[in-house]
Amino acid sequence: MQPDSKHFKIFKVLIWLTLAGCTLHFFDNVVFFDQYPEPAWLNAPIVAALWIPLALAAWRASSTVSGDYPDHVYTLIQGFVIGNWLSFGHYLFASPADVLPRINLIIAIQVTLATILFFYSLWMQLRFHRESMPYFTRIWAKLIAFYGVTIFTLEWFWPSDFQTWWL
């Protein structure tokens, strides 16, 4: 069974809404960088540059969603989703109670939209492209390894002041 145009349209709308939430957060983070709790190795130009791969993943997934390679689309979406969920990383450096309400709201918008996109894409994948599910577990393992190694390496060279407010 193949998804109809309604499913593709909803999928694309969710991708673009999530990118809008992502853009709002990145723009606010760059402009008001000093108001955000950040790791020692991050600065405003790097934040701005990190938006580019997320935007490219969203654009590419949206432009190929109805194509012949659904595993590629879902891989791009999973990368885009986990990239958006990394916004929770701000809370490694400050309690949500210590973060400005504006920032908490922007992070909530971004993460909520990414979560909705995640569940809709997972539903689409299970319903219409079940054969692409092996890619799902592999891409998550690769993404977690990539982000984990990258962050560990950056923290090794430029250690940050983590807060343990959650303990």
Side-chain angles (χ1 to χ4, degrees):
M1 175 191 304
Q2 289 297 315
D4 59 19
S5 64
K6 178 184 85 171
H7 294 106
F8 287 134
K9 183 178 252 183
I10 292 169
F11 199 43
K12 285 183 177 187
V13 166
L14 288 173
I15 291 169
W16 291 113
L17 283 174
T18 304
L19 182 59
C22 174
T23 303
L24 173 66
H25 176 208
F26 274 75
F27 179 78
D28 191 72
N29 198 337
V30 169
V31 172
F32 302 106
F33 185 81
D34 59 324
Q35 296 176 5
Y36 276 79
E38 300 286 8
W41 44 266
L42 196 60
N43 59 35
I46 294 173
V47 170
L50 290 173
W51 176 85
I52 294 169
L54 290 176
L56 290 173
W59 170 78
R60 186 72 178 135
S62 176
S63 66
T64 59
V65 72
S66 58
D68 293 333
Y69 301 102
D71 51 312
H72 294 157
V73 172
Y74 295 117
T75 297
L76 288 166
I77 291 301
Q78 300 310 319
F80 180 58
V81 165
I82 200 169
N84 278 280
W85 285 347
L86 283 176
S87 295
F88 279 133
H90 291 294
Y91 302 123
L92 292 173
F93 306 100
S95 162
D98 297 331
V99 175
L100 293 172
R102 178 192 86 252
I103 295 171
N104 284 326
L105 177 63
I106 289 170
I107 291 171
I109 289 168
Q110 178 188 16
V111 169
T112 299
L113 289 168
T115 302
I116 293 167
L117 175 61
F118 169 75
F119 282 114
Y120 193 79
S121 70
L122 185 58
W123 174 81
M124 290 262 298
Q125 194 171 9
L126 286 169
R127 174 117 189 243
F128 301 113
H129 303 108
R130 190 172 291 272
E131 72 282 357
S132 70
M133 283 309 290
Y135 294 102
F136 179 83
T137 53
R138 279 185 280 197
I139 192 58
W140 273 88
K142 288 177 182 178
L143 287 168
I144 290 170
F146 170 74
Y147 286 123
V149 168
T150 301
I151 291 169
F152 178 81
T153 303
L154 290 167
E155 285 297 324
W156 180 267
F157 290 105
W158 298 281
S160 299
D161 181 26
F162 289 99
Q163 303 295 315
T164 56
W165 60 269
W166 58 86
L167 294 178

